[in-house]
Amino acid sequence: EAGVVQSPRYKIIEKKQPVAFWCNPISGHNTLYWYLQNLGQGPELLIRYENEEAVDDSQLPKDRFSAERLKGVDSTLKIQPAELGDSAVYLCASSFENTEAFFGQGTRLTVV
Amino acid sequence: AQSVSQHNHHVILSEAASLELGCNYSYGGTVNLFWYVQYPGQHLQLLLKYFSGDPLVKGIKGFEAEFIKSKFSFNLRKPSVQWSDTAEYFCAVNAHGNKLVFGAGTILRVKS
């Protein structure tokens, strides 16, 4: 069974530029999460989808971050414009019926 | 709001030593509990989980965890660690229907 696939694995951009991350969850998983992980800290939830619906986006900085999950499968997370403080690892995870989450490899973003 | 506390940020042990990593959570209702592990250069992987039933949960690679409801704790244990257990360990809590919240993580280094 294929796991959660994220791309790109690494991204380096200049501040004020836009960036997008893509996630393909495990087939059949209705719940999709985007997490942010800073060095030395645990993952922090940005947004959670149940199928196409964003059911928890309270931690998403909506002035610069946006996400979508069209057709309830793949998802993209966008930052525009990026700031130096956005440098982190962005993790995507999926689960079935809100049970254990399976994580992708993450995208390491460096904003310079 | 839910919160998860992991007592030690760094733990150093010699091979064959016993391990116990503490985890406490703040939510008072019914919860699902997880321990995830992240080996160097790899993605987060599920080590073990508790949903209901026997509060002593067995996981992969000889790990176990005990859910003590009265103490809001879910401590991770292993009787004899190996060098290959060197990794970062995260406790996570999901209050049914709510988001999956992670602790800050504990970095374990096992000396050979």
Side-chain angles (χ1 to χ4, degrees):
Chain A
E1 176 184 282
V4 177
V5 179
Q6 290 187 247
S7 68
R9 288 291 309 278
Y10 304 93
K11 188 75 176 177
I12 301 175
I13 61 170
E14 294 184 342
K15 63 181 179 182
K16 300 184 182 179
Q17 294 302 304
V19 65
F21 314 125
W22 176 78
C23 173
N24 186 12
I26 292 173
S27 178
H29 281 192
N30 58 323
T31 304
L32 185 145
Y33 310 80
W34 282 103
Y35 283 88
L36 177 153
Q37 187 175 20
N38 286 304
L39 192 64
Q41 298 181 26
E44 298 171 29
L45 183 70
L46 289 172
I47 188 167
R48 176 169 65 100
Y49 283 93
E50 297 291 342
N51 301 304
E52 303 92 348
E53 183 182 0
V55 297
D56 185 352
D57 63 357
S58 57
Q59 300 295 100
L60 190 73
K62 297 181 184 65
D63 57 335
R64 298 184 300 107
F65 286 65
S66 63
E68 61 181 10
R69 190 184 185 198
L70 300 175
K71 302 180 181 177
V73 182
D74 294 5
S75 178
T76 56
L77 177 69
K78 298 178 182 178
I79 309 174
Q80 181 170 15
E83 297 178 351
L84 295 176
D86 296 330
S87 295
V89 177
Y90 291 83
L91 298 169
C92 180
S94 69
S95 69
F96 178 69
E97 298 295 325
N98 222 20
T99 56
E100 67 262 38
F102 294 81
F103 283 81
Q105 295 272 29
T107 296
R108 183 176 297 277
L109 173 68
T110 303
V111 183
V112 297
Chain B
Q2 294 170 236
S3 68
V4 180
S5 297
Q6 291 185 239
H7 308 311
N8 306 97
H9 196 56
H10 285 92
V11 173
I12 302 174
L13 295 172
S14 298
E15 276 194 316
S18 64
L19 170 72
E20 181 160 3
L21 301 182
C23 173
N24 286 90
Y25 63 93
S26 64
Y27 188 73
T30 303
V31 293
N32 293 337
L33 300 160
F34 308 86
W35 275 97
Y36 283 84
V37 61
Q38 189 165 26
Y39 297 104
Q42 297 188 27
H43 62 283
L44 280 163
Q45 303 170 43
L46 184 68
L47 202 53
L48 47 78
K49 63 187 178 186
Y50 172 80
F51 288 172
S52 64
D54 189 343
L56 185 61
V57 179
K58 305 285 187 183
I60 60 172
K61 303 185 180 183
F63 285 91
E64 64 178 31
E66 185 175 12
F67 170 49
I68 303 179
K69 189 174 182 179
S70 61
K71 294 185 178 181
F72 299 91
S73 70
F74 190 55
N75 292 355
L76 180 70
R77 298 194 293 250
K78 186 171 183 177
S80 175
V81 294
Q82 301 172 312
W83 178 81
S84 58
D85 293 325
T86 294
E88 189 162 13
Y89 293 81
F90 294 93
C91 181
V93 176
N94 186 340
H96 289 191
N98 208 326
K99 62 186 179 184
L100 184 61
V101 177
F102 284 81
T106 297
I107 297 171
L108 172 65
R109 180 179 158 226
V110 180
K111 299 185 295 183
S112 58

